[in-house]
Amino acid sequence: MLKTVSRLLLLALLIALLAFAFAARDGAGWRWLTKGGWHTTARISALTPQEREWAAVAWRYFVNNTQPQTGLVNGSDKQPRVTLWQMGDTLIALLAARELGLVKEAEFDDRLTRLLGTLNRLMLSESRTPGRMYSTQSATMVDFAGKPVKSGWSARDMARLLLALRLTADWAPQYQEYLERIVLRWNFCPVVDRHGELWSSMLVEGAPTLREELRLGESEYAASAFRLWGFDPQKALNPPSQNVIIYQRALAVDARDPRTTWQPSLISTLPYMLPGLEYGWQPPGINDEISQSLRERANLVYLTQQTRWEKEKVLTARADYFVGEAPWHVADTVWGNGFAWNTLGDDGKYYPRRAQVTTKAVFALWALWETPYTDALMRVAQRMFDDKRGWYEGRVEATGDYNRMVTLSTNATVLEALFYKAHGGPLLRGGLIESDSYFSLRAQDTFTSPGLCLPGERRTEARK
């Protein structure tokens, strides 16, 4: 008798779950079951009407700032300059807009086609690497003032675009060949060395200088993007680290001394959360030990900011952002150059009064952790936008004022986080680039290989 009752109860529960799965709004219940909503911290469900409004506001930035002749989008509102990182953000935002119903297929094709054409004709440096910053109007290399300049390359920014190209090929495979042709133009000989380290080049007193620009967090993220294309950046996946203690937690930081490397050692939100949104902290081709480390470090970055709110009553969501005056770009950190909650300008100075609850950090944390803390963050962030321009950079900790700068990367991160939620989990559905892809076949062609140190291609020149 008891067995019969138990079976009936189990059957009733199963029917109730299936009814929930199919009846919940837009199939959200089904995604909750199939995507593992019963054991994840993340928000994975269809967007609410309010969240759809948030997405529409973020997309408005791209509508307002697209340059019709190139398809490139201004990095800041009405400012016709863009970095390679922001080009990657543009592709991810466009995918999100299509999947969230903000653009129809014809507009998606038109926008992506213009971007593909521009990226396949993009002006390259003398070493045939893509530059640090471009004019969105002419796709030529410029500086912050818009003047023509050759300023080296950034492995970090290259990685973001590499990730976005693979993600685009994953969601829109009909464009894959044209996406892969973009990367086949680039020379990786000076970027990826024989030991698997990633190098960047910048001007120092007018002369190009090679540097290990990437630090812990950013280094693993960049390396995992290069790995998607078949590179083997082993050294970049394992940067030297040491621990610092914040609220009795040991957080890993880069062990290299910023006084000798001239590169700040930082813990900030986005390098740890983007792998969660894109890979679920399990980058394809990366071993389980590194994947577990990525997840644990992200959780510690999240928990440390939550603990500051619980203990000190300071809402905290730290990420880099832009301001409308010097120092122009600010790195707002959980830990930076020796101190917890350090706020550093690009000029190397400390700006404690500029610390802020940063919009892109709020959305990344809110998507990956459904908790009272992220609910509290969103309550103070949910109106931080101009519905005609897009989302602001954030809200100043010290005063509650808005930082009313409006930028591409912030609005792209809003769209990426909402895309993650609506999709029901990590955005990358595929793995490493296929061995029979156009890219792989071209790189490994014995007779006509490009000679650019591509994966599988015999190195023809040393790093220089």
Side-chain angles (χ1 to χ4, degrees), residues 188-227:
F188 290 91
C189 297
V191 181
V192 187
D193 72 13
R194 297 174 186 273
H195 306 289
E197 183 61 277
L198 299 175
W199 292 83
S200 299
S201 173
M202 59 195 70
L203 291 182
V204 178
E205 296 181 353
T209 303
L210 283 175
R211 282 185 175 171
E212 295 175 285
E213 180 184 35
L214 297 163
R215 291 296 177 262
L216 192 81
E218 287 190 339
S219 185
E220 301 96 298
Y221 180 69
S224 65
F226 275 81
R227 186 73 185 91

Side-chain angles (χ1 to χ4, degrees), residues 34 97 103 106 143 154 170 176 195 207 209 215 281-282 294 304 324 330 341 360 365 368 372 375 411 440 444 457:
T34 60
V103 298
D143 61 14
S154 167
D170 192 11
Q176 182 168 339
H195 306 289
T209 303
R215 291 296 177 262
W281 295 291
Q282 293 181 302
L294 293 177
T304 302
V330 175
W341 316 117
K360 58 187 176 183
L365 294 168
L368 291 166
D375 288 339
N411 284 277
S440 297
Q444 296 172 30
E457 182 182 37

